[in-house]
Amino acid sequence: MKPVDKDRYRRALQSLLERMRPDADSMNAQTRFSVSGEGTQELSNAPFHLGDRGTDEFLFDMNTVLLENEEYLVNEVRAALVRLQGDSFGSCEQCGRAIPKARLEAIPYARFCVGCADAAGSG
């Protein structure tokens, strides 16, 4: 891979990391603290309703899944930056062939070519 291409992918990966950080921080905060204010020692005269608790649980579960996905993507981007420092970036980890530029443009942290990703079911 040409040094110019490596530099372009490095900038794209670093930009991606910078965009993900605020999202992950926000989801982390939402996951740690209850949506309904429980635990914040706020007093309310509003009656407790089981539907509200169900909504809180749903939002908590959704934020947890989103945070897990965001952390996975951050780790993938960081791993791609490590591969970029070496000579393995842009090569499929399964078959060793070059990952097409179009795929790297769409998914700069891709580990596999399209064929191997499809065979593994990882997209």
Side-chain angles (χ1 to χ4, degrees):
M1 182 175 292
K2 296 177 185 176
V4 173
D5 290 336
K6 278 189 168 187
D7 190 47
R8 184 167 41 100
Y9 288 123
R10 182 178 295 108
R11 285 194 313 268
L13 289 165
Q14 289 170 339
S15 175
L16 191 56
L17 269 181
E18 289 172 13
R19 286 193 322 253
M20 282 193 246
R21 186 176 318 274
D23 291 341
D25 291 344
S26 173
M27 282 183 268
N28 195 2
Q30 290 175 11
T31 302
R32 288 181 186 222
F33 302 107
S34 173
V35 175
S36 66
E38 289 179 25
T40 61
Q41 299 184 8
E42 291 180 17
L43 296 177
S44 174
N45 291 332
F48 174 76
H49 191 275
L50 287 177
D52 293 335
R53 184 67 182 156
T55 299
D56 289 349
E57 288 296 320
F58 171 78
L59 291 173
F60 176 83
D61 290 346
M62 183 178 66
N63 283 330
T64 302
V65 169
L66 290 172
L67 179 61
E68 184 178 317
N69 185 54
E70 198 76 14
E71 288 174 346
Y72 170 78
L73 291 175
V74 165
N75 289 332
E76 287 296 306
V77 171
R78 286 182 179 152
L81 286 167
V82 169
R83 289 192 307 274
L84 194 57
Q85 289 175 348
D87 288 333
S88 61
F89 182 83
S91 297
C92 178
E93 291 182 1
Q94 184 70 33
C95 68
R97 290 186 293 228
I99 298 172
K101 283 187 177 187
R103 179 163 173 80
L104 289 174
E105 293 293 327
I107 309 169
Y109 51 86
R111 292 177 179 263
F112 306 104
C113 66
V114 174
C116 292
D118 283 345
S122 63

